[in-house]
Amino acid sequence: VQLQASGGGLVQAGGSLRLSCAASGTFFRINALGWYRQAPGNQREMVAVITSSDTTNYADSVKGRFTISRDNAKNTVYLQMNSLKPEDTAVYYCNADLKLQRYSPLRTYWGQGTLVTVSS
């Protein structure tokens, strides 16, 4: 199983970016999908999570500005980021909780990360 993240880049404060993360390989089902980020010198933190029933959860720092969504047909999760701030600068990682087979336990897989830089 591989998660391929894309969509990062350099943007001015107030701008927008859309991140995508596609899961590929052989698996039975994807449960929750999420986006995390890690700024230099900081620990990795949760940004947004979406469950298999489309319930979402956001970090307080991004509520009202970021929107997470998923396309189950494409095994893809998105993160629409609006009103970006310099403090949003970080490497963004996607992850997926999935089952390889029907009766397998849930396992968490991580993408390789995509850099988002917000200039002031």
Side-chain angles (χ1 to χ4, degrees):
V1 176
Q2 287 190 327
L3 298 180
Q4 183 67 44
S6 61
L10 174 64
V11 64
Q12 287 189 332
S16 298
L17 281 175
R18 188 192 194 206
L19 305 183
S20 300
C21 177
S24 62
T26 303
F27 47 86
F28 174 68
R29 186 180 69 196
I30 299 176
N31 282 22
L33 290 158
W35 287 98
Y36 291 70
R37 67 187 181 187
Q38 187 167 17
N42 290 358
Q43 291 188 335
R44 189 174 298 188
E45 62 176 0
M46 187 274 289
V47 176
V49 174
I50 184 167
T51 69
S52 56
S53 57
D54 288 340
T55 300
T56 58
N57 187 34
Y58 295 93
D60 288 342
S61 59
V62 307
K63 283 181 181 177
R65 300 188 297 122
F66 291 10
T67 301
I68 189 171
S69 61
R70 62 191 289 169
D71 184 333
N72 293 326
K74 296 181 179 180
N75 294 321
T76 298
V77 61
Y78 304 97
L79 185 68
Q80 178 66 43
M81 305 186 293
N82 299 328
S83 302
L84 282 160
K85 304 176 181 180
E87 51 263 43
D88 294 318
T89 295
V91 177
Y92 284 70
Y93 299 90
C94 58
N95 81 349
D97 293 335
L98 59 84
K99 290 189 174 188
L100 294 179
Q101 298 177 351
R102 178 183 291 271
Y103 299 110
S104 298
L106 279 173
R107 291 183 60 181
T108 300
Y109 291 82
W110 290 89
Q112 85 285 5
T114 184
L115 177 62
V116 172
T117 303
V118 184
S119 63
S120 57

